[in-house]
Amino acid sequence: MADLFLRISDDGQSVLFAALPGHESVPTRALLLEQLHILGADSFYLFEKAIDSALAITVQDAELEAVGSDLPSIVIAERRNASLVVKAEPDFMRASITVTAPFGGAPLTGSDILEALKQNRIVKGIRKTQLQQLLEQTQQLSPGEKLTLPIAFGRLPEHGRDSRFEALVEDASHRILKPQASDDGKVDMRDLGELITVKAGQPLMKRIPATDGVPGFTVQGKVLPAKPGKDNEFQPGEGTVICDHDPNLLLAEQSGIPVRKPRGMQVDEALTLTGVNVATGHINFDGSILISGDVTPGMRVSATGNITVAGFVELAELKAGGDISIIKGIIGRKQHDAKLACTIEAKGNVTSKFAQFAEITCGQNAQFTLHVLHSVIRAEGEVIVMDQSKRHGSLSGGITEAGYSIRTVNLGALAGIPTVVNAFTKFETLQKQVQDKHRDYQLEIQNVEKIRQAQLKLLKLPEHKRPAELSERIQHAAEQHKTQITYLEADYQQLRDEYEELRSRVMITAVNRLYSGVQSRLEKETLLIDQDHGPSKLHISEQIFQCTPL
């Protein structure tokens, strides 16, 4: 039997190497590993350099015996308990534990984990399921193997929501965008329901009050305060009134046509007509107009309020101080002088099923559910050509300009019909606002510098020659201008940030197909589409106007 070179220490925590005099065999690494197994210590932590040293010492055995020296004992392995390290992310929103499996020592226990978390001040968001999983998985690890698991999670604050306003009745534009379903569940794009009117006392809108939000926390228990929502009040329009017993309910004060506003409704007394034709003549009305039929070729309709047409508008002219809603569609015709004979102009929104060979201008959004063909659209807001399902909606030919984004299902046409789309036409106005605010900020800086120079001149005078009243006035002016600088700098920074954020979000989108022949522009950048694409978006990314898959 080979000589035994190893033994367990008296405390059982380590393995010692001792090449005693009289050993006949020469130890090798393989022999030492075999003897570790015999001692039941093959899972101990090995000191590799100590083993090398032990093997080297055996070469000197004869010399040590010759001088009567004791051969040294060397610790080549030791028992190590499981260890763990707790690490929190810099923002303390998550903490993880890295466990090193034991080398023949005590395994990890739940109390070990809890004590480590306590020592590292991890007190919130600890997941019991993660703790259990960590304990179970560490039991399956090989000696020295490491395992890292997240164990505690912070929670970001849920900021409060601003007051919201939920309409309880639809208006004409919403009815166009939401065709009626029949009994068998199918949607008939020709059936858009009856025209919407309300009666006096009917609820129109409810206000959902702002919420305070829910505070968050870090894994170290620091409270992350939530920003409360802004509590906006109703802005009742004409023909509406806030309910006496419920301040969160807006009622109709009179019968008429409901018109939705951002923070309220209004009810217009309407001129109701079955149609506009040569029999009625041109219409010019101070208020809103409800036309249950068509507006026939050559007719003009003007209203200071809204215009709602249940039928078609063909080769006619409509002008409204509010919204224009045309349920069935807008039909024009290209004239010999290249002008379009059907014109629609609204200070608010324009909504219709389709438009072809028409010129449409609006102060807010233009939205169509079926198609826009060979038309000129100029909208201060967005231009949207798609239904709610995003299955229908084609924009081809003509020129479309939007203050912000343009969204459609199909942009252009298979035949490569030239289609011009210009988005974010509001950029010059917004840039000017930023530049004007920056100019005001710079002027205030110059004013402060002038006051500082005046103060320096005043200080050069002998104290008895300095008018006390003048010194006070200069000091007061300096403080005022410094305060103004603070406000202007904050306003400028906010405007600039809002512009950059808006610039990153504005785009031209084709959710199904983008065809060749589309000439696009966003801000001052232009891009010609020379081949067909699938779902795509045209946007500015890293200062480059580009087409990327949606």
mmCIF file with all atom_site columns, all heavy atoms in Angstrom, residues 355-372:
data_model
loop_
_atom_site.group_PDB
_atom_site.id
_atom_site.type_symbol
_atom_site.label_atom_id
_atom_site.label_alt_id
_atom_site.label_comp_id
_atom_site.label_asym_id
_atom_site.label_entity_id
_atom_site.label_seq_id
_atom_site.pdbx_PDB_ins_code
_atom_site.Cartn_x
_atom_site.Cartn_y
_atom_site.Cartn_z
_atom_site.occupancy
_atom_site.B_iso_or_equiv
_atom_site.pdbx_formal_charge
_atom_site.auth_seq_id
_atom_site.auth_comp_id
_atom_site.auth_asym_id
_atom_site.auth_atom_id
_atom_site.pdbx_PDB_model_num
ATOM 1   N N   . ALA A 1 355 ? -61.579 61.476 -49.856 1.00 0.00 ? 355 ALA A N   1
ATOM 2   C CA  . ALA A 1 355 ? -61.477 62.729 -50.598 1.00 0.00 ? 355 ALA A CA  1
ATOM 3   C C   . ALA A 1 355 ? -60.724 62.450 -51.895 1.00 0.00 ? 355 ALA A C   1
ATOM 4   O O   . ALA A 1 355 ? -59.719 61.736 -51.890 1.00 0.00 ? 355 ALA A O   1
ATOM 5   C CB  . ALA A 1 355 ? -60.750 63.788 -49.785 1.00 0.00 ? 355 ALA A CB  1
ATOM 6   N N   . GLN A 1 356 ? -61.226 63.008 -52.979 1.00 0.00 ? 356 GLN A N   1
ATOM 7   C CA  . GLN A 1 356 ? -60.515 62.862 -54.252 1.00 0.00 ? 356 GLN A CA  1
ATOM 8   C C   . GLN A 1 356 ? -60.646 64.151 -55.061 1.00 0.00 ? 356 GLN A C   1
ATOM 9   O O   . GLN A 1 356 ? -61.700 64.750 -55.127 1.00 0.00 ? 356 GLN A O   1
ATOM 10  C CB  . GLN A 1 356 ? -61.050 61.659 -55.037 1.00 0.00 ? 356 GLN A CB  1
ATOM 11  C CG  . GLN A 1 356 ? -62.546 61.667 -55.309 1.00 0.00 ? 356 GLN A CG  1
ATOM 12  C CD  . GLN A 1 356 ? -63.048 60.335 -55.831 1.00 0.00 ? 356 GLN A CD  1
ATOM 13  O OE1 . GLN A 1 356 ? -62.663 59.278 -55.335 1.00 0.00 ? 356 GLN A OE1 1
ATOM 14  N NE2 . GLN A 1 356 ? -63.900 60.386 -56.855 1.00 0.00 ? 356 GLN A NE2 1
ATOM 15  N N   . PHE A 1 357 ? -59.510 64.562 -55.612 1.00 0.00 ? 357 PHE A N   1
ATOM 16  C CA  . PHE A 1 357 ? -59.430 65.810 -56.373 1.00 0.00 ? 357 PHE A CA  1
ATOM 17  C C   . PHE A 1 357 ? -60.037 66.976 -55.597 1.00 0.00 ? 357 PHE A C   1
ATOM 18  O O   . PHE A 1 357 ? -60.863 67.739 -56.120 1.00 0.00 ? 357 PHE A O   1
ATOM 19  C CB  . PHE A 1 357 ? -60.117 65.657 -57.736 1.00 0.00 ? 357 PHE A CB  1
ATOM 20  C CG  . PHE A 1 357 ? -59.397 64.717 -58.662 1.00 0.00 ? 357 PHE A CG  1
ATOM 21  C CD1 . PHE A 1 357 ? -59.876 63.442 -58.878 1.00 0.00 ? 357 PHE A CD1 1
ATOM 22  C CD2 . PHE A 1 357 ? -58.220 65.103 -59.288 1.00 0.00 ? 357 PHE A CD2 1
ATOM 23  C CE1 . PHE A 1 357 ? -59.223 62.563 -59.728 1.00 0.00 ? 357 PHE A CE1 1
ATOM 24  C CE2 . PHE A 1 357 ? -57.553 64.228 -60.143 1.00 0.00 ? 357 PHE A CE2 1
ATOM 25  C CZ  . PHE A 1 357 ? -58.048 62.954 -60.366 1.00 0.00 ? 357 PHE A CZ  1
ATOM 26  N N   . ALA A 1 358 ? -59.640 67.104 -54.329 1.00 0.00 ? 358 ALA A N   1
ATOM 27  C CA  . ALA A 1 358 ? -60.168 68.176 -53.485 1.00 0.00 ? 358 ALA A CA  1
ATOM 28  C C   . ALA A 1 358 ? -59.003 68.935 -52.852 1.00 0.00 ? 358 ALA A C   1
ATOM 29  O O   . ALA A 1 358 ? -57.896 68.400 -52.682 1.00 0.00 ? 358 ALA A O   1
ATOM 30  C CB  . ALA A 1 358 ? -61.077 67.604 -52.409 1.00 0.00 ? 358 ALA A CB  1
ATOM 31  N N   . GLU A 1 359 ? -59.280 70.186 -52.493 1.00 0.00 ? 359 GLU A N   1
ATOM 32  C CA  . GLU A 1 359 ? -58.297 71.000 -51.777 1.00 0.00 ? 359 GLU A CA  1
ATOM 33  C C   . GLU A 1 359 ? -58.839 71.235 -50.365 1.00 0.00 ? 359 GLU A C   1
ATOM 34  O O   . GLU A 1 359 ? -59.912 71.814 -50.191 1.00 0.00 ? 359 GLU A O   1
ATOM 35  C CB  . GLU A 1 359 ? -58.061 72.327 -52.486 1.00 0.00 ? 359 GLU A CB  1
ATOM 36  C CG  . GLU A 1 359 ? -56.994 73.166 -51.811 1.00 0.00 ? 359 GLU A CG  1
ATOM 37  C CD  . GLU A 1 359 ? -56.585 74.379 -52.639 1.00 0.00 ? 359 GLU A CD  1
ATOM 38  O OE1 . GLU A 1 359 ? -57.008 74.464 -53.815 1.00 0.00 ? 359 GLU A OE1 1
ATOM 39  O OE2 . GLU A 1 359 ? -55.869 75.242 -52.109 1.00 0.00 ? 359 GLU A OE2 1
ATOM 40  N N   . ILE A 1 360 ? -58.105 70.757 -49.381 1.00 0.00 ? 360 ILE A N   1
ATOM 41  C CA  . ILE A 1 360 ? -58.590 70.761 -47.993 1.00 0.00 ? 360 ILE A CA  1
ATOM 42  C C   . ILE A 1 360 ? -57.575 71.451 -47.103 1.00 0.00 ? 360 ILE A C   1
ATOM 43  O O   . ILE A 1 360 ? -56.392 71.113 -47.108 1.00 0.00 ? 360 ILE A O   1
ATOM 44  C CB  . ILE A 1 360 ? -58.834 69.315 -47.499 1.00 0.00 ? 360 ILE A CB  1
ATOM 45  C CG1 . ILE A 1 360 ? -59.915 68.653 -48.376 1.00 0.00 ? 360 ILE A CG1 1
ATOM 46  C CG2 . ILE A 1 360 ? -59.233 69.290 -46.036 1.00 0.00 ? 360 ILE A CG2 1
ATOM 47  C CD1 . ILE A 1 360 ? -60.047 67.162 -48.174 1.00 0.00 ? 360 ILE A CD1 1
ATOM 48  N N   . THR A 1 361 ? -58.041 72.424 -46.330 1.00 0.00 ? 361 THR A N   1
ATOM 49  C CA  . THR A 1 361 ? -57.194 73.161 -45.398 1.00 0.00 ? 361 THR A CA  1
ATOM 50  C C   . THR A 1 361 ? -57.857 73.129 -44.029 1.00 0.00 ? 361 THR A C   1
ATOM 51  O O   . THR A 1 361 ? -59.064 73.382 -43.920 1.00 0.00 ? 361 THR A O   1
ATOM 52  C CB  . THR A 1 361 ? -57.023 74.627 -45.852 1.00 0.00 ? 361 THR A CB  1
ATOM 53  O OG1 . THR A 1 361 ? -56.531 74.651 -47.189 1.00 0.00 ? 361 THR A OG1 1
ATOM 54  C CG2 . THR A 1 361 ? -56.041 75.359 -44.940 1.00 0.00 ? 361 THR A CG2 1
ATOM 55  N N   . CYS A 1 362 ? -57.084 72.834 -42.986 1.00 0.00 ? 362 CYS A N   1
ATOM 56  C CA  . CYS A 1 362 ? -57.672 72.828 -41.649 1.00 0.00 ? 362 CYS A CA  1
ATOM 57  C C   . CYS A 1 362 ? -56.654 73.270 -40.607 1.00 0.00 ? 362 CYS A C   1
ATOM 58  O O   . CYS A 1 362 ? -55.446 73.096 -40.768 1.00 0.00 ? 362 CYS A O   1
ATOM 59  C CB  . CYS A 1 362 ? -58.232 71.440 -41.296 1.00 0.00 ? 362 CYS A CB  1
ATOM 60  S SG  . CYS A 1 362 ? -57.042 70.109 -41.331 1.00 0.00 ? 362 CYS A SG  1
ATOM 61  N N   . GLY A 1 363 ? -57.184 73.843 -39.526 1.00 0.00 ? 363 GLY A N   1
ATOM 62  C CA  . GLY A 1 363 ? -56.336 74.358 -38.458 1.00 0.00 ? 363 GLY A CA  1
ATOM 63  C C   . GLY A 1 363 ? -55.916 73.311 -37.458 1.00 0.00 ? 363 GLY A C   1
ATOM 64  O O   . GLY A 1 363 ? -55.076 73.571 -36.587 1.00 0.00 ? 363 GLY A O   1
ATOM 65  N N   . GLN A 1 364 ? -56.508 72.114 -37.554 1.00 0.00 ? 364 GLN A N   1
ATOM 66  C CA  . GLN A 1 364 ? -56.122 71.025 -36.656 1.00 0.00 ? 364 GLN A CA  1
ATOM 67  C C   . GLN A 1 364 ? -55.821 69.779 -37.485 1.00 0.00 ? 364 GLN A C   1
ATOM 68  O O   . GLN A 1 364 ? -54.962 69.826 -38.350 1.00 0.00 ? 364 GLN A O   1
ATOM 69  C CB  . GLN A 1 364 ? -57.213 70.798 -35.605 1.00 0.00 ? 364 GLN A CB  1
ATOM 70  C CG  . GLN A 1 364 ? -57.410 71.996 -34.667 1.00 0.00 ? 364 GLN A CG  1
ATOM 71  C CD  . GLN A 1 364 ? -58.481 71.777 -33.631 1.00 0.00 ? 364 GLN A CD  1
ATOM 72  O OE1 . GLN A 1 364 ? -58.866 70.649 -33.328 1.00 0.00 ? 364 GLN A OE1 1
ATOM 73  N NE2 . GLN A 1 364 ? -59.017 72.865 -33.091 1.00 0.00 ? 364 GLN A NE2 1
ATOM 74  N N   . ASN A 1 365 ? -56.506 68.662 -37.225 1.00 0.00 ? 365 ASN A N   1
ATOM 75  C CA  . ASN A 1 365 ? -56.192 67.408 -37.919 1.00 0.00 ? 365 ASN A CA  1
ATOM 76  C C   . ASN A 1 365 ? -57.127 67.167 -39.099 1.00 0.00 ? 365 ASN A C   1
ATOM 77  O O   . ASN A 1 365 ? -58.288 67.587 -39.089 1.00 0.00 ? 365 ASN A O   1
ATOM 78  C CB  . ASN A 1 365 ? -56.309 66.218 -36.957 1.00 0.00 ? 365 ASN A CB  1
ATOM 79  C CG  . ASN A 1 365 ? -55.353 66.336 -35.787 1.00 0.00 ? 365 ASN A CG  1
ATOM 80  O OD1 . ASN A 1 365 ? -54.286 66.916 -35.897 1.00 0.00 ? 365 ASN A OD1 1
ATOM 81  N ND2 . ASN A 1 365 ? -55.738 65.764 -34.648 1.00 0.00 ? 365 ASN A ND2 1
ATOM 82  N N   . ALA A 1 366 ? -56.592 66.444 -40.096 1.00 0.00 ? 366 ALA A N   1
ATOM 83  C CA  . ALA A 1 366 ? -57.409 65.965 -41.212 1.00 0.00 ? 366 ALA A CA  1
ATOM 84  C C   . ALA A 1 366 ? -57.379 64.443 -41.159 1.00 0.00 ? 366 ALA A C   1
ATOM 85  O O   . ALA A 1 366 ? -56.302 63.841 -41.153 1.00 0.00 ? 366 ALA A O   1
ATOM 86  C CB  . ALA A 1 366 ? -56.860 66.467 -42.543 1.00 0.00 ? 366 ALA A CB  1
ATOM 87  N N   . GLN A 1 367 ? -58.576 63.819 -41.106 1.00 0.00 ? 367 GLN A N   1
ATOM 88  C CA  . GLN A 1 367 ? -58.616 62.367 -40.951 1.00 0.00 ? 367 GLN A CA  1
ATOM 89  C C   . GLN A 1 367 ? -59.635 61.758 -41.906 1.00 0.00 ? 367 GLN A C   1
ATOM 90  O O   . GLN A 1 367 ? -60.766 62.231 -42.016 1.00 0.00 ? 367 GLN A O   1
ATOM 91  C CB  . GLN A 1 367 ? -58.950 61.980 -39.510 1.00 0.00 ? 367 GLN A CB  1
ATOM 92  C CG  . GLN A 1 367 ? -58.821 60.492 -39.234 1.00 0.00 ? 367 GLN A CG  1
ATOM 93  C CD  . GLN A 1 367 ? -58.722 60.179 -37.758 1.00 0.00 ? 367 GLN A CD  1
ATOM 94  O OE1 . GLN A 1 367 ? -58.780 61.080 -36.925 1.00 0.00 ? 367 GLN A OE1 1
ATOM 95  N NE2 . GLN A 1 367 ? -58.564 58.908 -37.423 1.00 0.00 ? 367 GLN A NE2 1
ATOM 96  N N   . PHE A 1 368 ? -59.198 60.671 -42.582 1.00 0.00 ? 368 PHE A N   1
ATOM 97  C CA  . PHE A 1 368 ? -60.028 59.976 -43.569 1.00 0.00 ? 368 PHE A CA  1
ATOM 98  C C   . PHE A 1 368 ? -59.918 58.483 -43.306 1.00 0.00 ? 368 PHE A C   1
ATOM 99  O O   . PHE A 1 368 ? -58.853 57.979 -42.934 1.00 0.00 ? 368 PHE A O   1
ATOM 100 C CB  . PHE A 1 368 ? -59.555 60.304 -44.986 1.00 0.00 ? 368 PHE A CB  1
ATOM 101 C CG  . PHE A 1 368 ? -59.434 61.782 -45.251 1.00 0.00 ? 368 PHE A CG  1
ATOM 102 C CD1 . PHE A 1 368 ? -58.270 62.465 -44.923 1.00 0.00 ? 368 PHE A CD1 1
ATOM 103 C CD2 . PHE A 1 368 ? -60.494 62.494 -45.801 1.00 0.00 ? 368 PHE A CD2 1
ATOM 104 C CE1 . PHE A 1 368 ? -58.152 63.828 -45.139 1.00 0.00 ? 368 PHE A CE1 1
ATOM 105 C CE2 . PHE A 1 368 ? -60.387 63.860 -46.020 1.00 0.00 ? 368 PHE A CE2 1
ATOM 106 C CZ  . PHE A 1 368 ? -59.218 64.535 -45.686 1.00 0.00 ? 368 PHE A CZ  1
ATOM 107 N N   . THR A 1 369 ? -61.011 57.748 -43.526 1.00 0.00 ? 369 THR A N   1
ATOM 108 C CA  . THR A 1 369 ? -61.016 56.323 -43.201 1.00 0.00 ? 369 THR A CA  1
ATOM 109 C C   . THR A 1 369 ? -60.793 55.412 -44.404 1.00 0.00 ? 369 THR A C   1
ATOM 110 O O   . THR A 1 369 ? -60.506 54.231 -44.231 1.00 0.00 ? 369 THR A O   1
ATOM 111 C CB  . THR A 1 369 ? -62.350 55.932 -42.545 1.00 0.00 ? 369 THR A CB  1
ATOM 112 O OG1 . THR A 1 369 ? -63.420 56.254 -43.448 1.00 0.00 ? 369 THR A OG1 1
ATOM 113 C CG2 . THR A 1 369 ? -62.547 56.671 -41.235 1.00 0.00 ? 369 THR A CG2 1
ATOM 114 N N   . LEU A 1 370 ? -60.906 55.926 -45.629 1.00 0.00 ? 370 LEU A N   1
ATOM 115 C CA  . LEU A 1 370 ? -60.791 55.057 -46.801 1.00 0.00 ? 370 LEU A CA  1
ATOM 116 C C   . LEU A 1 370 ? -59.625 55.449 -47.703 1.00 0.00 ? 370 LEU A C   1
ATOM 117 O O   . LEU A 1 370 ? -58.671 54.699 -47.853 1.00 0.00 ? 370 LEU A O   1
ATOM 118 C CB  . LEU A 1 370 ? -62.097 55.055 -47.586 1.00 0.00 ? 370 LEU A CB  1
ATOM 119 C CG  . LEU A 1 370 ? -62.178 54.021 -48.717 1.00 0.00 ? 370 LEU A CG  1
ATOM 120 C CD1 . LEU A 1 370 ? -61.972 52.608 -48.178 1.00 0.00 ? 370 LEU A CD1 1
ATOM 121 C CD2 . LEU A 1 370 ? -63.537 54.133 -49.426 1.00 0.00 ? 370 LEU A CD2 1
ATOM 122 N N   . HIS A 1 371 ? -59.690 56.635 -48.313 1.00 0.00 ? 371 HIS A N   1
ATOM 123 C CA  . HIS A 1 371 ? -58.580 57.039 -49.174 1.00 0.00 ? 371 HIS A CA  1
ATOM 124 C C   . HIS A 1 371 ? -58.583 58.542 -49.415 1.00 0.00 ? 371 HIS A C   1
ATOM 125 O O   . HIS A 1 371 ? -59.599 59.229 -49.231 1.00 0.00 ? 371 HIS A O   1
ATOM 126 C CB  . HIS A 1 371 ? -58.587 56.283 -50.510 1.00 0.00 ? 371 HIS A CB  1
ATOM 127 C CG  . HIS A 1 371 ? -59.798 56.568 -51.362 1.00 0.00 ? 371 HIS A CG  1
ATOM 128 N ND1 . HIS A 1 371 ? -60.759 55.619 -51.645 1.00 0.00 ? 371 HIS A ND1 1
ATOM 129 C CD2 . HIS A 1 371 ? -60.221 57.696 -52.005 1.00 0.00 ? 371 HIS A CD2 1
ATOM 130 C CE1 . HIS A 1 371 ? -61.696 56.143 -52.412 1.00 0.00 ? 371 HIS A CE1 1
ATOM 131 N NE2 . HIS A 1 371 ? -61.385 57.409 -52.644 1.00 0.00 ? 371 HIS A NE2 1
ATOM 132 N N   . VAL A 1 372 ? -57.426 59.021 -49.839 1.00 0.00 ? 372 VAL A N   1
ATOM 133 C CA  . VAL A 1 372 ? -57.263 60.385 -50.325 1.00 0.00 ? 372 VAL A CA  1
ATOM 134 C C   . VAL A 1 372 ? -56.512 60.274 -51.649 1.00 0.00 ? 372 VAL A C   1
ATOM 135 O O   . VAL A 1 372 ? -55.378 59.775 -51.695 1.00 0.00 ? 372 VAL A O   1
ATOM 136 C CB  . VAL A 1 372 ? -56.469 61.267 -49.334 1.00 0.00 ? 372 VAL A CB  1
ATOM 137 C CG1 . VAL A 1 372 ? -56.155 62.619 -49.961 1.00 0.00 ? 372 VAL A CG1 1
ATOM 138 C CG2 . VAL A 1 372 ? -57.242 61.444 -48.041 1.00 0.00 ? 372 VAL A CG2 1
#
